[in-house]
Amino acid sequence: MELDELDRKAAAAFPGFVVRKDLVRRFRGQFPVPTYVVEFMLGRYCSSTDPAEIEDGAEMVREQLGARTVRAGEEELFKARAREKGSVRLIDIVTARLDSKTDSYLVTLPSLRLNDVRINDRFVKDHERMLTGGFYAEVDLGYDASIAQEKGGRPFELIGLREIQLSTRDVLEPIAEGRRALSTAEWKDFLLRSVGLEPGAVSPRARDVALLRMVPFVERNFNMVELGPRGTGKSHLFQQVSPYAHLVSGGKATVARMFVNMANGQRGLVCQYDVVCFDEVSGVSFDQKDGVNIMKGYMESGEFSRGRESIRAEGSIVLVGNFDVDVQHQQRVGHLFGPLPPEMRNDTAFMDRIHAYLPGWDIAKVSRAVFTDRFGLVSDVLAETFSRLRSQSRAGVLQSRVHLGGALSGRDTNAVTKTVSGLLKLLHPAPDAEVADEDVEWAVRLALECRRRVKEQQKRIGSAEFRNTQFSYTLGMDGVERFVATPELQSEDSIGPDPLPHGQVWALGPGGQDEGVGLYRIEVTEGPGSGVRILNQSPPSAFRESVKIAEQNLYARSRELVGDRNPREHEFAVQLRAFDASKSADQTGVPVVMALASALLGRALRGGMAVVGGLNLGGSVETVHNPVDVVEHALSKGAATVLMPVSARRLLMDLSDEAATRVQVLFYADAADALRKALHEG
């Protein structure tokens, strides 16, 4: 493989810390150990740019892993070797516990199914991590036949230990120093290669999401959700790359395991690991009713109380899961937290504790093409760097440089600040590094988008306190205020500035007791014949009623609406398209009349405009009971103008200043007045 420019720069900047990532895949699945163990061995023997040295080193790694890893069914073979030779060397997770009966430590080696291995106290003192979840190590396991003959004897003893995780803890400084040799773009690419991705094979959007996935590793108490299609590698980073992360697969999550075991005081996963990731989150449930509430409290403050004691931990919480449908359909049938378990799905207080919602749908499915064959940091070096960065903060970079808009609440600001801090730590590991404005803006835009995605779902559920989602920022004292949207809202259900074809209108249904505000597009075509027919299969009864009333109004007031044209001599085909969870299209008589008239006149309506209003057979316009919600929903959908019955004017006094300045509300007296104000003048 020919080295590229980034390979050469990285090998020079991080000597002894890089490994060719295609070698890792060569060993994947052959041995019962995670990727970071394989990479540690490769980093020891293959950290070179010389192809011959790399191949020799890879062969040595293969031999060592083959001789020292215990496959299923080989447990007794390794024990027998220890007995015959006096000791045997193997690779395993080493965990220890204090046995109070003998006042000594005992080690568990799961691959040999041994849980009573003796160990010298000095090993435990030097490697305390074995008491909090354990770590992978090369172990020399001794056997003493004389002890085996004693009653209750424990013949196995751990007589040698070599961590298969970085032995030095001061790795951050050389990594930060090496980072200075790379540009920001090169460093981003190198980070992606370090977790096994080839940046040139994925979109810029996917690269940003992959970097966002790393934020929980560098930011303490960071809460993140990623939902999207299957097969995009959502859990890979949390399972294979770092020994500081723990993956909880879908199923029962016990309070004792997550937080603290009341029986023995043993601290749970959030105390032992930097990141706790719930995989297949839709299937997760707690064994106790208050499990979710304990988790909510922990996500808010980083503390939880069990008994009289208040315990502080720093583990980040990550929830990953799958959509069974595409993101646009998910938004039409509900909201983007839909795949969460029932006790979390519609809980806006739980959602409020989520700092970032990653758009998993923007990453392509994992394939051979997206894996890198080039150099990246050894996973254990990368994991240790991330863990060291957790004690730092980059929140100070925002002060006096970035001003967040008034739509952000205190929790929103905290969430955005934590996300920006994490992204900037990833980009600039050195705390004294100069951070360019474009790096700050990149981080701020991503952070605002990921937090706004949370707020948009809270708003969809219907909580009035979350109605203002127009997130913005200003860079510098004299900068221009810029608004950040979530791209999935700027899709086919977004009201664009261009006029729709004639016969089409954006309509807003005000909803009712059981239904929120809904956005619809009404599309009408006309031809020879007579009458009005609806093309939708099984249209909602409320919409059928609106069309029927609109048809009668068109016939009765044709002179005011369409001049000398006779609507009875034309056939109209009406189609309704719904873009929200609301589907009834109730009280849409005025927009239907306008669509019919627009089709007959052959004239388009103004762009960026949405219309609300119901009609009765006498031509009177019905009152809109929730005009503030309607205008704010229109704003979230991109509308610049809302046509509203004049009877709602006084009720709009409660409209927020921001909505009032960003959306023009035009009032109309009747359908003919609405049509005159809506017709495009171009």
Side-chain angles (χ1 to χ4, degrees):
M1 183 189 70
E2 189 72 27
L3 298 183
D4 66 6
E5 180 67 19
L6 183 53
D7 283 332
R8 286 189 284 270
K9 278 189 172 184
F14 308 103
F17 289 153
V18 294
V19 66
R20 239 177 55 198
K21 293 294 176 172
D22 61 322
L23 297 176
V24 182
R25 291 199 302 280
R26 198 187 295 181
F27 290 97
R28 183 172 294 158
Q30 293 187 34
F31 306 101
V33 291
T35 300
Y36 59 82
V37 172
V38 176
E39 279 203 33
F40 181 85
M41 304 287 284
L42 290 170
R44 184 188 294 173
Y45 297 108
C46 305
S47 189
S48 167
T49 55
D50 186 314
E53 286 183 26
I54 288 173
E55 287 306 317
D56 290 344
E59 190 55 39
M60 194 175 297
V61 170
R62 186 186 303 279
E63 290 175 7
Q64 291 199 8
L65 286 172
R68 296 174 187 173
T69 55
V70 184
R71 291 183 172 86
E74 294 183 344
E75 300 89 349
E76 298 306 320
L77 177 63
F78 273 77
K79 292 177 189 176
R81 285 177 184 166
R83 178 178 180 272
E84 290 162 10
K85 299 178 182 178
S87 69
V88 68
R89 181 167 289 180
L90 67 142
I91 294 171
D92 203 354
I93 294 179
V94 180
T95 56
R97 72 183 193 281
L98 179 65
D99 181 22
S100 57
K101 291 180 181 177
T102 60
D103 190 32
S104 62
Y105 291 105
L106 294 178
V107 161
T108 297
L109 298 175
S111 68
L112 294 183
R113 291 187 290 198
L114 290 173
N115 57 14
D116 58 352
V117 178
R118 291 176 289 117
I119 186 173
N120 191 296
D121 290 2
R122 67 181 171 84
F123 285 123
V124 180
K125 198 171 291 183
D126 292 342
H127 304 281
E128 288 188 338
R129 211 189 317 179
M130 68 174 67
L131 294 169
T132 59
F135 58 89
Y136 271 92
E138 282 182 330
V139 171
D140 289 320
L141 182 67
Y143 184 89
D144 190 328
S146 62
I147 296 178
Q149 294 169 14
E150 297 174 3
K151 185 180 179 181
R154 291 169 171 148
F156 290 102
E157 182 182 10
L158 193 148
I159 57 177
L161 181 71
R162 185 181 186 186
E163 276 192 282
I164 300 187
Q165 285 171 21
L166 208 62
S167 56
T168 178
R169 294 290 178 262
D170 57 356
V171 70
L172 181 56
E173 194 172 318
I175 296 300
E177 187 57 40
R179 157 70 179 94
R180 300 180 201 276
L182 305 180
S183 69
T184 297
E186 289 172 333
W187 174 249
K188 282 183 183 178
D189 288 351
F190 186 60
L191 277 179
L192 295 178
R193 286 181 176 180
S194 296
V195 298
L197 295 174
E198 180 52 48
V202 296
S203 67
R205 177 71 170 169
R207 294 199 287 271
D208 286 345
V209 176
L211 289 167
L212 278 163
R213 283 175 174 172
M214 302 178 196
V215 173
F217 289 91
V218 299
E219 192 69 23
R220 289 184 288 201
N221 300 110
F222 188 81
N223 308 318
M224 186 177 86
V225 165
E226 180 181 352
L227 301 172
R230 288 174 171 80
T232 57
K234 291 187 288 293
S235 59
H236 168 76
L237 191 66
F238 308 101
Q239 186 174 31
Q240 297 290 344
V241 173
S242 172
Y244 292 108
H246 184 85
L247 193 72
V248 179
S249 295
K252 282 280 186 188
T254 67
V255 171
R257 187 170 174 231
M258 274 295 296
F259 301 104
V260 66
N261 189 325
M262 294 295 287
N264 58 19
Q266 175 70 41
R267 297 294 196 263
L269 297 174
V270 293
C271 303
Q272 297 174 11
Y273 290 92
D274 288 353
V275 183
V276 179
C277 174
F278 289 87
D279 193 16
E280 301 290 351
V281 69
S282 60
V284 170
S285 62
F286 279 94
D287 63 331
Q288 297 178 21
K289 282 187 176 180
D290 62 345
V292 171
N293 288 331
I294 295 170
M295 189 154 128
K296 267 169 36 178
Y298 172 71
M299 291 167 73
E300 172 70 18
S301 63
E303 293 184 359
F304 53 92
S305 297
R306 298 297 284 159
R308 297 180 180 177
E309 187 180 8
S310 181
I311 301 168
R312 176 149 194 88
E314 296 179 350
S316 297
I317 300 287
V318 177
L319 309 174
V320 300
N322 302 316
F323 282 143
D324 292 322
V325 294
D326 65 79
V327 65
Q328 298 300 336
H329 184 71
Q330 181 67 36
Q331 288 190 113
R332 285 197 292 271
V333 299
H335 56 79
L336 296 183
F337 281 106
L340 262 57
E343 55 265 48
M344 305 175 189
R345 187 177 300 151
N346 295 309
D347 186 343
T348 55
F350 179 84
M351 294 177 194
D352 222 19
R353 287 151 172 79
I354 301 296
H355 298 126
Y357 186 137
L358 270 60
W361 49 87
D362 284 334
I363 292 190
K365 287 185 180 291
V366 172
S367 65
R368 173 66 187 84
V370 305
F371 294 131
T372 189
D373 294 336
R374 300 197 170 274
F375 281 97
L377 285 174
V378 176
S379 287
D380 215 58
V381 174
L382 181 71
E384 195 62 44
T385 301
F386 285 171
S387 193
R388 297 299 104 189
L389 284 169
R390 289 172 74 82
S391 61
Q392 302 179 11
S393 175
R394 298 289 187 276
V397 175
L398 291 177
Q399 292 177 5
S400 76
R401 291 180 69 174
V402 176
H403 304 277
L404 299 175
L408 280 82
S409 68
R411 277 188 176 143
D412 297 330
T413 302
N414 178 55
V416 169
T417 301
K418 285 178 79 73
T419 309
V420 170
S421 175
L423 288 169
L424 293 181
K425 279 190 272 188
L426 288 170
L427 256 55
H428 301 281
D432 59 345
E434 190 70 33
V435 184
D437 279 354
E438 54 264 34
D439 294 345
V440 175
E441 187 164 22
W442 169 80
V444 168
R445 291 193 69 86
L446 276 178
L448 283 168
E449 178 202 317
C450 289
R451 177 59 185 180
R452 179 172 175 179
R453 188 169 287 111
V454 174
K455 207 73 176 285
E456 291 287 354
Q457 310 323 305
Q458 293 173 307
K459 180 178 170 182
R460 274 176 178 266
I461 289 172
S463 298
E465 61 186 296
F466 306 115
R467 63 165 53 131
N468 193 352
T469 59
Q470 306 304 308
F471 283 10
S472 63
Y473 69 97
T474 305
L475 191 63
M477 295 299 292
D478 303 318
V480 177
E481 185 178 24
R482 292 182 171 87
F483 289 85
V484 177
T486 55
E488 66 273 7
L489 291 179
Q490 306 303 306
S491 54
E492 62 173 341
D493 66 344
S494 179
I495 302 172
D498 298 327
L500 293 172
H502 63 83
Q504 296 189 18
V505 61
W506 288 108
L508 291 161
Q513 193 170 11
D514 300 319
E515 193 176 63
V517 179
L519 178 68
Y520 307 90
R521 194 156 78 209
I522 298 166
E523 303 174 356
V524 175
T525 56
E526 62 83 29
S530 62
V532 175
R533 61 191 177 93
I534 300 174
L535 299 180
N536 299 74
Q537 293 288 328
S538 304
S541 57
F543 181 65
R544 277 204 308 270
E545 185 67 20
S546 290
V547 171
K548 180 180 171 184
I549 291 172
E551 179 183 8
Q552 295 306 315
N553 272 270
L554 178 65
Y555 296 155
R557 293 166 181 77
S558 62
R559 178 68 62 180
E560 299 169 60
L561 291 164
V562 292
D564 56 3
R565 292 173 177 81
N566 186 356
R568 295 183 186 275
E569 296 176 356
H570 297 260
E571 182 186 65
F572 300 89
V574 181
Q575 188 164 19
L576 175 74
R577 300 183 66 190
F579 294 98
D580 290 312
S582 303
K583 299 284 187 271
S584 72
D586 192 16
Q587 296 187 52
T588 52
V590 172
V592 172
V593 165
M594 293 170 65
L596 294 169
S598 168
L600 189 56
L601 292 169
R603 292 179 61 184
L605 305 180
R606 291 165 50 169
M609 182 188 67
V611 184
V612 61
L615 272 178
N616 61 32
L617 284 173
S620 299
V621 179
E622 295 176 357
T623 301
V624 177
H625 66 278
N626 56 341
V628 171
D629 292 343
V630 170
V631 173
E632 288 178 344
H633 194 73
L635 177 60
S636 74
K637 297 294 186 179
T641 307
V642 176
L643 265 179
M644 178 83 66
V646 70
S647 58
R649 183 169 57 88
R650 288 185 180 84
L651 294 174
L652 281 172
M653 296 301 290
D654 292 330
L655 190 65
S656 68
D657 291 347
E658 185 172 4
T661 54
R662 296 190 60 209
V663 178
Q664 180 186 23
V665 180
L666 293 180
F667 296 107
Y668 63 86
D670 54 31
D673 185 32
L675 181 64
R676 281 193 298 273
K677 290 172 176 172
L679 284 170
H680 182 57
E681 299 300 328

